[in-house]
Amino acid sequence: MLSANLSGIFYLISGVLFILALRGLSSPETSRQGNFFGILGMIIAITVTFLSIGNFSTGFVVVLIFLLIGGLIGAFIAYKIPMTAMPELVAGFHSLVGLAAVFVAIAAFLNPGAFNLGSPGNIKLGSLIEMSIGAAVGAITFSGSIIAFLKLQGIMSGSPITFKGQHLFNALILISIIVLTYLLCSTQSSNLFWILLAVSFLIGFLLIIPIGGADMPVVISMLNSYSGWAAAGIGFTLENTALIITGALVGSSGAILSYIMCKGMNRSFFNVILGGFGATEQSSSSQNKEQRPVKSGNADDAAFLMKNASSVIIVPGYGMAVAQAQHALREMVDTLKKNDIKVSYAIHPVAGRMPGHMNVLLAEANVPYDEVFELEEINNDFANADVAFVIGANDVTNPVAKTDPQSPIYGMPVLDVEKCKSVLFVKRSLSPGYAGIDNDLFYKENTLMLFADAKKMTEDITKNL
Amino acid sequence: MEIDPFIFRLSIFILSIFIGYYVVWSVTPSLHTPLMSVTNAISSVIIVGAIIASLAGTSDTIFNTSSLFGFLAISLAAINIFGGFLVTQRMLAMYKKKKKDK
């Protein structure tokens, strides 16, 4: 049996190790060591918990069995999951953290004695408040992540689902959560606790359905943040330092990512959360629907242009992930490099469906990370490049964001693709992007549209090089 | 007058938010996906609470309602811990520098 003070010290150590885990991610070289620190922190926290309880009877064996079952499932998923499915995986994992927080809160509510929180029906007020917050945020994380997961998987339509009075309805539910928490704390009624949970599940669901597919980077980051706050809430209930530190770290991490994503779209956080983008603002784009001439070409033309270039910048987007074109793309780039053509990659902050989505896919295809650049690092280079190869990206290259104040994406930072001598744009059709607006880039003098599946087109170009 | 221990925990919490703020801003954008999967894994340290809940029963009542929720939470958190750390490991192993000999 470990004394409470000693285990407190160990929990602090594992909290510090978690900080170091995140610190390691400041560069790819230190990141693997960081992950190791994280694992070490987790092992310490779990071991200390067992030692401080000091109960190694049948219960302990059952705990190990459940731990093993979960561990095997987790390990299996981690090895099997394709890199393109990473957004779904992360959303799924968030839902599990949320649900685990809810379960721990329920366990603590039913048996407060186990956590030194008082007795059923007479739980310490502070603990009850913390518990309710942890449970409510956990429930919101769970149902919100499930919706995000379904949308990312394509099981549920990615388009926003809106109905009349939605915001008012959501606001009423949020108020009812506060009222329920207050009533729960004053009456200690278990019925109120269940109602609070049910209502929280409902609001998590309602908050995410109006948000469209391309806003998923914000949603995932936000749910990441929520899962942290839920953990912190439970950490306060259990008076556990490791949990409080981790909750705060994860909470602020998710919040920062949401902020970066919102900035990448030049939209306020509330604008994204209130949702319905793309469904309601199409009026501004439908006014100039006249047919404009487009130059289209085939793989041969594209190969010719690239062969005569001395520098090429590649702009990948979500379409590359959908077509699984990253490996074909790398092969094309290898051929280009053999012909002494300088190639770099330009990544927009909101390219793909989650922060850093494109970077992971390129890394999977063995693209060295020092050839991959962020928007600010590379945007000035487009003017000096010969060819920009846009593969699966659309709105993030639209010059309208710089020129047309009427456009819904006006002010959004975009890649200055049009400044290249020539632009190759791989796309299946001329359909507008997610924001529902035409991309001016399609009609530029120096743009050659390549209408095909991204993977097939890239392979064909490689053959023609 | 003694200070309520809650105040100490609150101090830890607030200071950790600040640490998180500065640490996360220094994470390179290309590693934002591993950042999300690793935060996922570490927030599953909530398993500590689940373990306490499941071992609260006496030897003849291992399975009461409260500990059942604990057992379920252990499995959920374990999926996240193993899945989160391993998938992060898998991703990080892919980030390579340009080979010099090319």
Side-chain angles (χ1 to χ4, degrees):
Chain A
M1 186 101 177
L2 220 56
S3 82
N5 285 338
L6 198 55
S7 46
I9 301 265
F10 277 113
Y11 284 134
L12 179 61
I13 293 175
S14 71
V16 171
L17 285 168
F18 291 151
I19 296 174
L20 293 176
L22 299 193
R23 182 78 188 93
L25 290 171
S26 56
S27 100
E29 284 107 81
T30 54
S31 60
R32 272 154 280 206
Q33 190 194 28
N35 200 37
F36 171 72
F37 284 140
I39 297 172
L40 192 66
M42 189 60 74
I43 293 173
I44 292 177
I46 294 176
T47 316
V48 167
T49 310
F50 282 130
L51 290 176
S52 63
I53 300 173
N55 172 359
F56 294 101
S57 58
T58 354
F60 175 68
V61 180
V62 182
V63 166
L64 282 190
I65 292 171
F66 275 91
L67 190 71
L68 207 66
I69 294 172
L72 282 175
I73 299 173
F76 180 77
I77 297 173
Y79 278 110
K80 284 284 167 204
I81 193 94
M83 283 299 144
T84 37
M86 211 43 73
E88 292 94 301
L89 179 78
V90 168
F93 277 174
H94 285 156
S95 73
L96 298 181
V97 180
L99 196 58
V102 171
F103 283 174
V104 173
I106 294 176
F109 185 78
L110 294 176
N111 186 5
F115 300 91
N116 292 322
L117 305 175
S119 55
N122 189 21
I123 302 171
K124 281 187 280 182
L125 179 64
S127 310
L128 195 56
I129 298 174
E130 292 153 5
M131 207 185 287
S132 322
I133 295 174
V137 179
I140 294 173
T141 312
F142 172 71
S143 52
S145 302
I146 292 285
I147 300 299
F149 175 82
L150 293 177
K151 285 196 171 195
L152 288 164
Q153 261 306 352
I155 297 171
M156 202 171 142
S157 154
S159 53
I161 298 167
T162 48
F163 55 87
K164 230 180 156 193
Q166 194 164 24
H167 298 325
L168 185 68
F169 188 62
N170 288 352
L172 284 176
I173 295 186
L174 285 173
I175 293 169
S176 78
I177 287 183
I178 297 168
V179 174
L180 278 167
T181 311
Y182 174 78
L183 290 176
L184 173 66
C185 292
S186 51
T187 63
Q188 302 252 357
S189 147
S190 59
N191 285 339
L192 284 173
F193 184 72
W194 299 118
I195 297 173
L196 174 69
L197 278 181
V199 172
S200 305
F201 279 126
L202 180 68
I203 189 69
F205 170 79
L206 288 171
L207 280 175
I208 308 301
I209 52 166
I211 306 179
D215 282 339
M216 279 303 145
V218 182
V219 171
I220 296 196
S221 320
M222 188 181 78
L223 291 167
N224 185 236
S225 181
Y226 287 178
S227 70
W229 304 131
I234 302 295
F236 274 101
T237 321
L238 307 183
E239 310 185 342
N240 184 302
T241 333
L243 207 40
I244 295 177
I245 295 178
T246 316
L249 289 179
V250 177
S252 51
S253 161
I256 291 173
L257 288 178
S258 318
Y259 171 79
I260 296 176
M261 294 302 115
C262 287
K263 223 176 112 219
M265 297 192 288
N266 189 40
R267 297 173 54 198
S268 76
F269 186 67
F270 286 103
N271 184 273
V272 175
I273 296 311
L274 294 178
F277 190 66
T280 49
E281 301 184 43
Q282 278 185 353
S283 51
S284 57
S285 60
S286 51
Q287 53 205 13
N288 48 2
K289 264 282 186 270
E290 91 274 26
Q291 291 286 316
R292 285 191 278 173
V294 176
K295 276 200 292 183
S296 79
N298 56 26
D300 209 18
D301 305 328
F304 178 78
L305 265 172
M306 282 207 253
K307 227 188 300 187
N308 291 310
S310 61
S311 68
V312 173
I313 299 179
I314 296 182
V315 182
Y318 182 58
M320 181 187 81
V322 175
Q324 307 252 17
Q326 66 272 29
H327 297 280
L329 181 67
R330 213 275 332 288
E331 277 161 32
M332 185 187 92
V333 170
D334 283 350
T335 320
L336 289 175
K337 279 197 209 151
K338 266 184 219 141
N339 294 319
D340 283 324
I341 299 164
K342 186 177 167 284
V343 184
S344 33
Y345 299 80
I347 313 260
H348 191 274
V350 293
R353 285 292 185 265
M354 74 182 293
H357 191 185
M358 292 299 119
N359 303 79
V360 171
L361 292 182
L362 292 176
E364 189 203 9
N366 283 319
V367 173
Y369 62 80
D370 37 10
E371 287 176 10
V372 183
F373 299 95
E374 302 301 316
L375 179 124
E376 306 90 63
E377 296 171 319
I378 200 165
N379 229 4
N380 292 328
D381 297 352
F382 280 107
N384 304 319
D386 297 311
V387 175
F389 186 73
V390 183
I391 173 166
N394 187 359
D395 289 337
V396 298
T397 63
N398 196 341
V400 154
K402 287 176 286 191
T403 52
D404 179 12
Q406 300 300 316
S407 164
I409 61 165
Y410 180 71
M412 168 172 143
V414 286
L415 292 158
D416 296 333
V417 175
E418 79 281 359
K419 289 188 182 152
C420 267
K421 288 202 192 75
S422 44
V423 178
L424 295 170
F425 208 111
V426 187
K427 206 171 180 307
R428 265 179 297 203
S429 69
L430 265 187
S431 62
Y434 157 73
I437 37 173
D438 237 5
N439 192 340
D440 262 5
L441 196 60
F442 299 165
Y443 313 104
K444 294 262 176 195
E445 193 61 19
N446 56 348
T447 304
L448 188 66
M449 298 297 294
L450 305 168
F451 293 112
D453 173 72
K455 189 175 177 196
K456 185 154 186 316
M457 177 51 79
T458 324
E459 284 165 352
D460 288 349
I461 295 175
T462 315
K463 274 181 218 148
N464 283 305
L465 273 169
Chain B
M1 268 262 289
E2 229 181 299
I3 299 178
D4 188 323
F6 171 79
I7 302 301
F8 291 123
R9 286 190 284 275
L10 188 66
S11 319
I12 296 172
F13 179 64
I14 302 291
L15 292 177
S16 301
I17 292 178
F18 278 93
I19 294 173
Y21 179 85
Y22 288 107
V23 169
V24 172
W25 270 117
S26 74
V27 170
T28 164
S30 67
L31 291 175
H32 275 162
T33 300
L35 171 68
M36 301 200 81
S37 60
V38 87
T39 49
N40 224 311
I42 64 173
S43 56
S44 302
V45 73
I46 202 157
I47 197 169
V48 166
I51 295 173
I52 299 175
S54 8
L55 291 179
T58 52
S59 49
D60 32 87
T61 57
I62 303 170
F63 294 104
N64 54 40
T65 335
S66 139
S67 64
L68 267 180
F69 278 109
F71 286 124
L72 288 177
I74 287 178
S75 281
L76 294 177
I79 295 178
N80 258 319
I81 293 172
F82 283 77
F85 280 126
L86 288 173
V87 88
T88 310
Q89 194 78 16
R90 214 183 118 197
M91 275 192 269
L92 293 177
M94 298 185 313
Y95 282 82
K96 291 184 199 90
K97 250 197 158 136
K98 208 177 325 196
K99 284 197 194 88
K100 283 279 181 306
D101 54 11
K102 261 194 180 171

PDB file of all heavy atoms in Angstrom, chain B residues 2 5 9-10 13 15 25-26 33-34 45 56 63 71 74 80 86-87 93 96-97 101:
ATOM      1  N   GLU B   2      -7.075  27.854   7.327  1.00  0.00           N
ATOM      2  CA  GLU B   2      -6.416  26.904   6.436  1.00  0.00           C
ATOM      3  C   GLU B   2      -6.951  27.066   5.009  1.00  0.00           C
ATOM      4  O   GLU B   2      -8.125  27.398   4.819  1.00  0.00           O
ATOM      5  CB  GLU B   2      -6.703  25.483   6.928  1.00  0.00           C
ATOM      6  CG  GLU B   2      -5.456  24.627   7.031  1.00  0.00           C
ATOM      7  CD  GLU B   2      -5.799  23.232   7.491  1.00  0.00           C
ATOM      8  OE1 GLU B   2      -6.344  23.102   8.623  1.00  0.00           O
ATOM      9  OE2 GLU B   2      -5.553  22.302   6.725  1.00  0.00           O
ATOM     10  N   PRO B   5      -7.876  22.472   0.109  1.00  0.00           N
ATOM     11  CA  PRO B   5      -7.025  21.807  -0.898  1.00  0.00           C
ATOM     12  C   PRO B   5      -7.510  22.031  -2.325  1.00  0.00           C
ATOM     13  O   PRO B   5      -6.733  21.949  -3.262  1.00  0.00           O
ATOM     14  CB  PRO B   5      -7.140  20.323  -0.536  1.00  0.00           C
ATOM     15  CG  PRO B   5      -7.641  20.279   0.847  1.00  0.00           C
ATOM     16  CD  PRO B   5      -8.364  21.553   1.130  1.00  0.00           C
ATOM     17  N   ARG B   9      -5.488  22.459  -6.064  1.00  0.00           N
ATOM     18  CA  ARG B   9      -5.776  21.755  -7.315  1.00  0.00           C
ATOM     19  C   ARG B   9      -6.128  22.746  -8.419  1.00  0.00           C
ATOM     20  O   ARG B   9      -5.720  22.589  -9.572  1.00  0.00           O
ATOM     21  CB  ARG B   9      -6.908  20.750  -7.105  1.00  0.00           C
ATOM     22  CG  ARG B   9      -6.459  19.526  -6.325  1.00  0.00           C
ATOM     23  CD  ARG B   9      -7.507  18.451  -6.339  1.00  0.00           C
ATOM     24  NE  ARG B   9      -8.605  18.741  -5.447  1.00  0.00           N
ATOM     25  CZ  ARG B   9      -8.594  18.438  -4.148  1.00  0.00           C
ATOM     26  NH1 ARG B   9      -7.564  17.833  -3.610  1.00  0.00           N
ATOM     27  NH2 ARG B   9      -9.619  18.735  -3.395  1.00  0.00           N
ATOM     28  N   LEU B  10      -6.875  23.782  -8.025  1.00  0.00           N
ATOM     29  CA  LEU B  10      -7.229  24.804  -9.011  1.00  0.00           C
ATOM     30  C   LEU B  10      -5.964  25.484  -9.539  1.00  0.00           C
ATOM     31  O   LEU B  10      -5.828  25.736 -10.742  1.00  0.00           O
ATOM     32  CB  LEU B  10      -8.167  25.838  -8.383  1.00  0.00           C
ATOM     33  CG  LEU B  10      -8.770  26.847  -9.348  1.00  0.00           C
ATOM     34  CD1 LEU B  10      -9.709  26.143 -10.320  1.00  0.00           C
ATOM     35  CD2 LEU B  10      -9.509  27.941  -8.601  1.00  0.00           C
ATOM     36  N   PHE B  13      -4.322  23.299 -11.986  1.00  0.00           N
ATOM     37  CA  PHE B  13      -5.117  23.295 -13.215  1.00  0.00           C
ATOM     38  C   PHE B  13      -4.823  24.522 -14.067  1.00  0.00           C
ATOM     39  O   PHE B  13      -4.483  24.420 -15.248  1.00  0.00           O
ATOM     40  CB  PHE B  13      -6.599  23.237 -12.823  1.00  0.00           C
ATOM     41  CG  PHE B  13      -7.561  23.250 -13.972  1.00  0.00           C
ATOM     42  CD1 PHE B  13      -7.579  22.200 -14.880  1.00  0.00           C
ATOM     43  CD2 PHE B  13      -8.453  24.295 -14.135  1.00  0.00           C
ATOM     44  CE1 PHE B  13      -8.486  22.198 -15.937  1.00  0.00           C
ATOM     45  CE2 PHE B  13      -9.356  24.309 -15.183  1.00  0.00           C
ATOM     46  CZ  PHE B  13      -9.372  23.263 -16.086  1.00  0.00           C
ATOM     47  N   LEU B  15      -2.300  26.666 -13.915  1.00  0.00           N
ATOM     48  CA  LEU B  15      -0.915  26.722 -14.398  1.00  0.00           C
ATOM     49  C   LEU B  15      -0.705  25.722 -15.538  1.00  0.00           C
ATOM     50  O   LEU B  15       0.016  26.014 -16.495  1.00  0.00           O
ATOM     51  CB  LEU B  15       0.059  26.449 -13.245  1.00  0.00           C
ATOM     52  CG  LEU B  15       0.098  27.557 -12.187  1.00  0.00           C
ATOM     53  CD1 LEU B  15       1.031  27.164 -11.045  1.00  0.00           C
ATOM     54  CD2 LEU B  15       0.538  28.882 -12.789  1.00  0.00           C
ATOM     55  N   TRP B  25       1.692  25.653 -28.710  1.00  0.00           N
ATOM     56  CA  TRP B  25       2.053  26.602 -29.773  1.00  0.00           C
ATOM     57  C   TRP B  25       3.404  26.258 -30.385  1.00  0.00           C
ATOM     58  O   TRP B  25       3.684  26.600 -31.527  1.00  0.00           O
ATOM     59  CB  TRP B  25       2.084  28.044 -29.251  1.00  0.00           C
ATOM     60  CG  TRP B  25       0.759  28.715 -29.397  1.00  0.00           C
ATOM     61  CD1 TRP B  25      -0.021  29.177 -28.394  1.00  0.00           C
ATOM     62  CD2 TRP B  25       0.040  29.010 -30.606  1.00  0.00           C
ATOM     63  NE1 TRP B  25      -1.181  29.726 -28.892  1.00  0.00           N
ATOM     64  CE2 TRP B  25      -1.163  29.641 -30.250  1.00  0.00           C
ATOM     65  CE3 TRP B  25       0.294  28.794 -31.968  1.00  0.00           C
ATOM     66  CZ2 TRP B  25      -2.114  30.055 -31.180  1.00  0.00           C
ATOM     67  CZ3 TRP B  25      -0.658  29.219 -32.901  1.00  0.00           C
ATOM     68  CH2 TRP B  25      -1.845  29.843 -32.505  1.00  0.00           C
ATOM     69  N   SER B  26       4.247  25.587 -29.651  1.00  0.00           N
ATOM     70  CA  SER B  26       5.560  25.259 -30.203  1.00  0.00           C
ATOM     71  C   SER B  26       5.538  23.945 -30.978  1.00  0.00           C
ATOM     72  O   SER B  26       6.556  23.548 -31.535  1.00  0.00           O
ATOM     73  CB  SER B  26       6.604  25.213 -29.093  1.00  0.00           C
ATOM     74  OG  SER B  26       6.442  24.045 -28.341  1.00  0.00           O
ATOM     75  N   THR B  33      -1.543  16.185 -36.468  1.00  0.00           N
ATOM     76  CA  THR B  33      -2.322  14.940 -36.344  1.00  0.00           C
ATOM     77  C   THR B  33      -1.775  14.042 -35.229  1.00  0.00           C
ATOM     78  O   THR B  33      -2.542  13.591 -34.383  1.00  0.00           O
ATOM     79  CB  THR B  33      -2.399  14.202 -37.689  1.00  0.00           C
ATOM     80  OG1 THR B  33      -3.023  15.070 -38.640  1.00  0.00           O
ATOM     81  CG2 THR B  33      -3.212  12.939 -37.583  1.00  0.00           C
ATOM     82  N   PRO B  34      -0.451  13.781 -35.192  1.00  0.00           N
ATOM     83  CA  PRO B  34       0.070  13.035 -34.033  1.00  0.00           C
ATOM     84  C   PRO B  34      -0.234  13.726 -32.709  1.00  0.00           C
ATOM     85  O   PRO B  34      -0.499  13.048 -31.718  1.00  0.00           O
ATOM     86  CB  PRO B  34       1.584  12.990 -34.277  1.00  0.00           C
ATOM     87  CG  PRO B  34       1.741  13.171 -35.728  1.00  0.00           C
ATOM     88  CD  PRO B  34       0.603  14.012 -36.194  1.00  0.00           C
ATOM     89  N   VAL B  45      -5.792   8.817 -19.202  1.00  0.00           N
ATOM     90  CA  VAL B  45      -5.293   8.570 -17.854  1.00  0.00           C
ATOM     91  C   VAL B  45      -6.485   8.566 -16.887  1.00  0.00           C
ATOM     92  O   VAL B  45      -6.379   8.206 -15.721  1.00  0.00           O
ATOM     93  CB  VAL B  45      -4.217   9.611 -17.465  1.00  0.00           C
ATOM     94  CG1 VAL B  45      -4.827  10.965 -17.183  1.00  0.00           C
ATOM     95  CG2 VAL B  45      -3.409   9.144 -16.273  1.00  0.00           C
ATOM     96  N   ALA B  56     -13.435  -0.999  -5.821  1.00  0.00           N
ATOM     97  CA  ALA B  56     -14.024  -0.497  -4.582  1.00  0.00           C
ATOM     98  C   ALA B  56     -14.811  -1.560  -3.842  1.00  0.00           C
ATOM     99  O   ALA B  56     -14.967  -1.494  -2.627  1.00  0.00           O
ATOM    100  CB  ALA B  56     -14.915   0.702  -4.888  1.00  0.00           C
ATOM    101  N   PHE B  63     -18.782  -7.387  -8.470  1.00  0.00           N
ATOM    102  CA  PHE B  63     -19.595  -6.753  -9.498  1.00  0.00           C
ATOM    103  C   PHE B  63     -20.826  -6.092  -8.893  1.00  0.00           C
ATOM    104  O   PHE B  63     -21.874  -6.714  -8.768  1.00  0.00           O
ATOM    105  CB  PHE B  63     -20.055  -7.791 -10.532  1.00  0.00           C
ATOM    106  CG  PHE B  63     -18.927  -8.370 -11.323  1.00  0.00           C
ATOM    107  CD1 PHE B  63     -18.461  -9.643 -11.056  1.00  0.00           C
ATOM    108  CD2 PHE B  63     -18.327  -7.628 -12.339  1.00  0.00           C
ATOM    109  CE1 PHE B  63     -17.424 -10.172 -11.793  1.00  0.00           C
ATOM    110  CE2 PHE B  63     -17.278  -8.161 -13.076  1.00  0.00           C
ATOM    111  CZ  PHE B  63     -16.824  -9.436 -12.797  1.00  0.00           C
ATOM    112  N   PHE B  71     -15.423  -1.157 -14.717  1.00  0.00           N
ATOM    113  CA  PHE B  71     -14.810  -2.139 -15.614  1.00  0.00           C
ATOM    114  C   PHE B  71     -14.960  -1.712 -17.081  1.00  0.00           C
ATOM    115  O   PHE B  71     -14.013  -1.783 -17.859  1.00  0.00           O
ATOM    116  CB  PHE B  71     -15.450  -3.526 -15.417  1.00  0.00           C
ATOM    117  CG  PHE B  71     -15.021  -4.202 -14.151  1.00  0.00           C
ATOM    118  CD1 PHE B  71     -15.945  -4.643 -13.216  1.00  0.00           C
ATOM    119  CD2 PHE B  71     -13.672  -4.403 -13.887  1.00  0.00           C
ATOM    120  CE1 PHE B  71     -15.549  -5.260 -12.044  1.00  0.00           C
ATOM    121  CE2 PHE B  71     -13.268  -5.031 -12.722  1.00  0.00           C
ATOM    122  CZ  PHE B  71     -14.205  -5.454 -11.792  1.00  0.00           C
ATOM    123  N   ILE B  74     -12.660   1.001 -17.909  1.00  0.00           N
ATOM    124  CA  ILE B  74     -11.283   0.530 -18.065  1.00  0.00           C
ATOM    125  C   ILE B  74     -11.040   0.076 -19.501  1.00  0.00           C
ATOM    126  O   ILE B  74     -10.063   0.455 -20.141  1.00  0.00           O
ATOM    127  CB  ILE B  74     -10.984  -0.635 -17.096  1.00  0.00           C
ATOM    128  CG1 ILE B  74     -10.867  -0.101 -15.667  1.00  0.00           C
ATOM    129  CG2 ILE B  74      -9.697  -1.355 -17.484  1.00  0.00           C
ATOM    130  CD1 ILE B  74     -10.617  -1.161 -14.637  1.00  0.00           C
ATOM    131  N   ASN B  80      -8.164   3.374 -25.955  1.00  0.00           N
ATOM    132  CA  ASN B  80      -7.554   4.663 -26.273  1.00  0.00           C
ATOM    133  C   ASN B  80      -6.079   4.717 -25.972  1.00  0.00           C
ATOM    134  O   ASN B  80      -5.303   5.293 -26.724  1.00  0.00           O
ATOM    135  CB  ASN B  80      -8.219   5.743 -25.428  1.00  0.00           C
ATOM    136  CG  ASN B  80      -9.193   6.516 -26.228  1.00  0.00           C
ATOM    137  OD1 ASN B  80      -8.904   6.829 -27.368  1.00  0.00           O
ATOM    138  ND2 ASN B  80     -10.320   6.794 -25.667  1.00  0.00           N
ATOM    139  N   LEU B  86       0.064   3.724 -29.869  1.00  0.00           N
ATOM    140  CA  LEU B  86       0.619   2.930 -30.975  1.00  0.00           C
ATOM    141  C   LEU B  86       0.432   3.615 -32.320  1.00  0.00           C
ATOM    142  O   LEU B  86       1.337   3.609 -33.156  1.00  0.00           O
ATOM    143  CB  LEU B  86      -0.015   1.532 -30.988  1.00  0.00           C
ATOM    144  CG  LEU B  86       0.448   0.622 -29.854  1.00  0.00           C
ATOM    145  CD1 LEU B  86      -0.355  -0.663 -29.844  1.00  0.00           C
ATOM    146  CD2 LEU B  86       1.933   0.318 -29.988  1.00  0.00           C
ATOM    147  N   VAL B  87      -0.743   4.211 -32.513  1.00  0.00           N
ATOM    148  CA  VAL B  87      -0.965   4.854 -33.804  1.00  0.00           C
ATOM    149  C   VAL B  87      -0.072   6.101 -33.915  1.00  0.00           C
ATOM    150  O   VAL B  87       0.428   6.434 -34.998  1.00  0.00           O
ATOM    151  CB  VAL B  87      -2.466   5.161 -34.029  1.00  0.00           C
ATOM    152  CG1 VAL B  87      -2.874   6.494 -33.481  1.00  0.00           C
ATOM    153  CG2 VAL B  87      -2.787   5.077 -35.502  1.00  0.00           C
ATOM    154  N   ALA B  93       6.917   7.329 -36.900  1.00  0.00           N
ATOM    155  CA  ALA B  93       7.964   6.554 -37.567  1.00  0.00           C
ATOM    156  C   ALA B  93       8.034   6.880 -39.055  1.00  0.00           C
ATOM    157  O   ALA B  93       9.042   6.624 -39.706  1.00  0.00           O
ATOM    158  CB  ALA B  93       7.701   5.062 -37.367  1.00  0.00           C
ATOM    159  N   LYS B  96      10.292  11.235 -42.078  1.00  0.00           N
ATOM    160  CA  LYS B  96      11.727  11.080 -42.321  1.00  0.00           C
ATOM    161  C   LYS B  96      12.280  12.312 -42.991  1.00  0.00           C
ATOM    162  O   LYS B  96      11.593  13.021 -43.707  1.00  0.00           O
ATOM    163  CB  LYS B  96      11.975   9.862 -43.214  1.00  0.00           C
ATOM    164  CG  LYS B  96      11.676   8.559 -42.513  1.00  0.00           C
ATOM    165  CD  LYS B  96      12.039   7.395 -43.395  1.00  0.00           C
ATOM    166  CE  LYS B  96      11.331   6.141 -42.927  1.00  0.00           C
ATOM    167  NZ  LYS B  96      10.010   5.962 -43.572  1.00  0.00           N
ATOM    168  N   LYS B  97      13.564  12.519 -42.783  1.00  0.00           N
ATOM    169  CA  LYS B  97      14.256  13.635 -43.425  1.00  0.00           C
ATOM    170  C   LYS B  97      14.699  13.209 -44.818  1.00  0.00           C
ATOM    171  O   LYS B  97      14.773  12.032 -45.124  1.00  0.00           O
ATOM    172  CB  LYS B  97      15.471  14.031 -42.593  1.00  0.00           C
ATOM    173  CG  LYS B  97      15.326  15.360 -41.899  1.00  0.00           C
ATOM    174  CD  LYS B  97      16.682  15.835 -41.467  1.00  0.00           C
ATOM    175  CE  LYS B  97      16.660  17.324 -41.280  1.00  0.00           C
ATOM    176  NZ  LYS B  97      17.334  17.715 -40.072  1.00  0.00           N
ATOM    177  N   ASP B 101      22.111  11.032 -49.640  1.00  0.00           N
ATOM    178  CA  ASP B 101      22.814  10.433 -50.787  1.00  0.00           C
ATOM    179  C   ASP B 101      22.096  10.658 -52.121  1.00  0.00           C
ATOM    180  O   ASP B 101      22.641  10.365 -53.160  1.00  0.00           O
ATOM    181  CB  ASP B 101      23.049   8.929 -50.545  1.00  0.00           C
ATOM    182  CG  ASP B 101      21.777   8.189 -50.205  1.00  0.00           C
ATOM    183  OD1 ASP B 101      20.688   8.785 -50.350  1.00  0.00           O
ATOM    184  OD2 ASP B 101      21.845   7.021 -49.791  1.00  0.00           O
TER     185      ASP B 101
END
